[in-house]
Amino acid sequence: MNVRRSAAALAVAVAALGTAAAPAALADDASPSPKGPLPSGLYGKKDPQFDGVFRQSYALLAQKTVGVTPADKAVDWLTGQQCSSGGFAAYRADATEPCDSKTQVDSNSTAAAIQALHAVGNESNTVKKSLDWLKSVQNQDGGWGYNPGLPSDANSTGIVIGALAAVGEKPASAKSQKGKSPLDALTKLAMDCGKDGGAFGLADAKSGKLTPNADATAAGVLGGLGQGLVPAKGKEAGSAPKCAKPDTAGQAAQNGTGYLLKSLAKTGHLTSAMPGAKDQPDVGNTADAVVALAAAGQAEQAKKSAEWLSKNSAAWAKDSGPAAYSQLVFAALAADMDVRDFGGADLVKQLNAQGPTPKAISEVTTGAKVKDEKDEDDGSGVSVWWIVGVGLVAGAGIGFLLSGRKKKNQL
């Protein structure tokens, strides 16, 4: 997952190599940058203007997943970012000031915060308010855009599905006034078989035409499976799924799985390109794909790509910061690799060093097992495999997008 970006920028370049696993917004709409030293409870040392809530949420969620109890002040910082409406913006430099019409509250930051705060287990009122806000800004097609009023996209819809799943709500039951659920929305964001291979697409800002995108596909697969970032493995599939008409979220997820398998088959990693530059390995989106494939039961390719990550992600993670380390934690666990010896790196130690000293650290090192099939049905016809050992299910489709703002955010 790379920076959040405008649809216009996406039309030129899908992703940028070496960017943090964090969202960015258009500069003229962004929260103000902090003045003076960063808050002591915040993870990361770079400007949090575009990704403060996001990277904090990832860090807390990843820590909790591997048995680390975050520092109280890290949790308090995240809780303090919430607006009175329940929504979260990417970053609020002065959280003592009330949110107003200029506060860019968004679905992605809010859904990520829900998962992190639910994971720490003591923020039920905060979580409920955020869930209520998300439901209040749900589009009539059942999905979510980055900001209220924007068209639904696979990335935003996927991360909200992850938030719903994290708190035990069935995505199929979260319906708009027109009776549409986020699973309905995903089917409209999935592309047909053929040259596009069943990918989930990104919509052109002007025409609305979908363009296949691996990042959106990873998010769509996880959303279609009712899962998110916390590693959980699907029942071993055995072979690549056959592409068919995406008339259900489950079938759309299968189609997207096939697209990812094909995209990763040759090199084990995804690629990205900047205008005028050669294609380059896309580390963040590859990590997302590993989690999606593991959730879909494609353990073999997930392991191969995770092994590629273990050899090629160190510089990217060091430059990108806490959200990047968190992505690698999720990918390593999804592929049953040791998070404390990932290509020689102790991901837990590296993540913990990004913020305040944790309260406690356990020795969780490897991934989840498949839960009994009798517990799989989430009401959508799609199996859901909850993580075993840490007792936590959370997540989001990631690789977030920002498509031009058509309405002011709702507070």
Side-chain angles (χ1 to χ4, degrees), residues 320-385:
S320 301
Y325 285 116
S326 300
Q327 279 183 278
L328 294 177
V329 165
F330 298 143
L333 290 173
D336 280 334
M337 296 179 69
D338 191 341
V339 292
R340 296 182 183 277
D341 186 10
F342 190 68
D346 186 335
L347 296 177
V348 178
K349 182 178 180 180
Q350 291 174 327
L351 174 59
N352 291 345
Q354 298 291 306
T357 303
K359 292 174 65 175
I361 302 174
S362 73
E363 292 299 319
V364 175
T365 59
T366 55
K369 297 180 181 180
V370 182
K371 196 171 182 182
D372 291 341
E373 291 185 13
K374 65 183 180 181
D375 295 326
E376 292 174 355
D377 188 9
D378 73 342
S380 65
V382 181
S383 294
V384 176
W385 304 278

Side-chain angles (χ1 to χ4, degrees), residues 13 255 266 270 332 380:
N255 294 352
K266 185 176 181 179
L270 300 174
S380 65

